[in-house]
Amino acid sequence: MSIHLASITLHEIRLPLVEPFTISSGTMENRRILLLELCDADGITAWSESVADDAPNYNPETVDTCRTILKKWLAPRVLGKTFADPGKVDAAINQNIRGHHMAKAALEMGCWGLEAERQGKSLSVLLGGIRETIITGISIGIQPSPAMLVKKARGAFAQGYPKIKCKIRPGADLAFLAAVREELGPDAEIMADANNAYTIADFDHLVKMDAFGLLMLEQPLAWDDVFRHAELQRRMTTPICLDESITSLDRAEDMIALKAGRIINIKPGRVGGFTASKAIHDLAEKHDIPVWCGGMLESGIGRAYNVALASLPNFKLPGDLSPSARYWAQDIVRPEWTMSPKGEVTVPRTKPGLGIQIDRNRIDNLTVRSETLTA
Ligand code: OSB
Ligand code: MG
């Protein structure tokens, strides 16, 4: 089998979150999502999603930069060309095009989705995944008070989530985490994610978090820092998990060599797609570094790719892969993603392709702009 794309249609939709989601760098309310509809020369179709949002507050990319880069630079590298397998697309779109991983990932992962569709195999099986279910966690945005966070955390555990991640920032950290630990007991799996809200001036403050028995502390320092995290990790017993900083296999090697963290959050959108994600997964496995799959408030389409990736063997910790209803009043796929009472999402390993149907009508209703690119 091979990949031969005839057209790529970019659909930009607006999808309102059921509740605003606040992290240290901003609030998301009404997601702008760029969807890709890839069609090959035989008329087979696959959909994929860019995880960029409106604002460049996670990394430098936005929906608008993704559209521009896809149109002018990436689509011309694949449209009308033939690739023996989807693993060959990564090299073609990376040669002399720096950065823009979210744009690259949407296209590269779409080619994996298309190949799975062509072979009539599930994306998980095509990738080499082994898990039938993924343990999921919930990421809870910054709340107005410790009491509100405790309430949300209780509700999440009651729903079956085995792990909760609390977003933190200076002024909404120690008292909030202390309250959750106090109210939910010593066995509750709790972690925190700072999304770069701290600097080296905060090390004494951050070390105090060791008292809360967190599963890990995610990305406390700058979005592109590895070196300073190593100094912080030397001072903390809590394992540091890097998210924003791990943009490539090289950065993962840096983290391991510098001992700048003990866990990696892999988001395929951040590292440029599945080929890069698998390389980081394999490297981490060799070094006994567990990985887990992060999320970027994806629609059901992006979620299908994350679920497939998280079925690889070294995804050993619960992923930020909550069910559709945690994010949306109505998702854009059928069936919607659900979670068992034990906090598991089922990997659709017996269904071809993404394992879900695209709700074309709903997408059309949500679309604010679309355009088709051809060779
Ligand atoms: O840092 O993991 C993050 C959402 C947007 C930007 C950054 C992050 C997140 C999340 C959401 O934590 C996790 C999810 O999709 O459920
Ligand atoms: Mg994070």
Side-chain angles (χ1 to χ4, degrees), residues 84 123 291:
L123 190 55
V291 306

Side-chain angles (χ1 to χ4, degrees), residues 242-287:
L242 294 186
D243 171 354
E244 282 89 332
S245 299
I246 306 300
T247 49
S248 64
L249 179 64
D250 287 356
R251 293 297 83 73
E253 281 175 351
D254 294 348
M255 185 201 92
I256 294 167
L258 292 168
K259 297 188 165 45
R262 299 185 192 140
I263 299 169
I264 299 175
N265 164 337
I266 298 183
K267 291 178 182 170
R270 188 191 67 228
V271 302
F274 276 168
T275 301
S277 298
K278 278 168 37 121
I280 294 169
H281 165 275
D282 294 352
L283 174 79
E285 189 167 42
K286 231 173 47 200
H287 290 270

Side-chain angles (χ1 to χ4, degrees), residues 21 23 28 58 139 165 167 193 195 218 243 267 295-298 320 327:
F21 185 75
I23 66 176
M28 285 148 271
Y58 170 80
S139 176
K165 162 164 132 180
K167 292 289 187 176
D193 185 358
N195 291 103
E218 187 175 340
D243 171 354
K267 291 178 182 170
M296 293 289 289
L297 311 177
E298 288 88 349
D320 280 348
Y327 309 95

Side-chain angles (χ1 to χ4, degrees), residues 347-368:
V347 183
R349 286 174 60 87
T350 56
K351 297 183 187 157
L354 306 192
I356 34 97
Q357 301 301 313
I358 305 303
D359 187 341
R360 185 61 200 251
N361 254 344
R362 175 142 174 82
I363 291 174
D364 286 345
N365 288 334
L366 297 166
T367 298
V368 292

